[in-house]
Amino acid sequence: ISFLEFSKAADKFINVAMRGIKEGTFRLQPAKPISIIADKVRVIHRFSWPDRFILTHFARCIEHLASSLYSESLFSYRHGRSDAGARLRVSRYLAQTQSRIWIARRDISKYGESMDHGIIMADFERLFNPEPELLKLMQEACSFTIEADGTVKRNNCGLPTGTFLQ
């Protein structure tokens, strides 16, 4: 489905998707892995427009609920926070201290992709005490299917890379 088709029938789609989520019959369509080059080659998962809409909205709801739990130093994927703001805070701190400071730049390799589904689900339940429908939606988001090289397989760990949910 194209974005144009989705946008013309978004209300109808949302009603059907919500019914499916409530009934526990909603399933994400298989994602397609796509290699991109950011600071290195990364594999992200491309979902259909309707699935991207649901995952993005779901992630924003979680972010809204969890924002009070985050440290002020966390800037990634947060509304009103940016890497420029983080650099400004660090430079102000460095200007105010006389201590020796060592800075190491590190990239956490495959952090989101390697998250254990049991831990994700336990944290989700503990932090949000979600309705059964949202619990099912989170489980579906964790163990989404991936279509690559003509085969479809279920994701066994991590969250869909390249989505706000991760």
Side-chain angles (χ1 to χ4, degrees), residues 73-85:
S73 298
L74 179 66
F75 65 89
S76 184
Y77 298 109
R78 288 183 72 190
H79 182 69
R81 305 277 197 299
S82 69
D83 58 341

Side-chain angles (χ1 to χ4, degrees), residues 116-128 130 135:
D116 179 272
H117 287 171
I119 294 171
I120 293 170
M121 294 304 296
D123 283 348
F124 184 68
E125 287 183 73
R126 180 177 51 82
L127 293 172
F128 304 114
L135 204 55

Side-chain angles (χ1 to χ4, degrees), residues 60-125:
R60 286 183 176 150
C61 290
I62 292 171
E63 192 275 333
H64 176 74
L65 293 171
S67 62
S68 65
L69 305 172
Y70 297 150
S71 163
E72 283 300 310
S73 298
L74 179 66
F75 65 89
S76 184
Y77 298 109
R78 288 183 72 190
H79 182 69
R81 305 277 197 299
S82 69
D83 58 341
R87 287 192 300 269
L88 181 61
R89 286 183 64 193
V90 168
S91 65
R92 285 180 183 158
Y93 174 78
L94 292 174
Q96 293 173 354
T97 185
Q98 300 297 317
S99 303
R100 263 186 141 161
I101 295 179
W102 299 88
I103 298 175
R105 181 178 183 263
R106 296 287 184 258
D107 185 14
I108 300 173
S109 178
K110 297 189 177 187
Y111 172 72
E113 302 97 307
S114 64
M115 292 176 159
D116 179 272
H117 287 171
I119 294 171
I120 293 170
M121 294 304 296
D123 283 348
F124 184 68
E125 287 183 73

Side-chain angles (χ1 to χ4, degrees), residues 39-53:
D39 52 333
K40 61 183 178 182
V41 176
R42 298 177 188 266
V43 176
I44 63 168
H45 297 99
R46 179 66 66 191
F47 290 89
S48 67
W49 280 107
D51 288 348
R52 275 188 258 176
F53 178 84

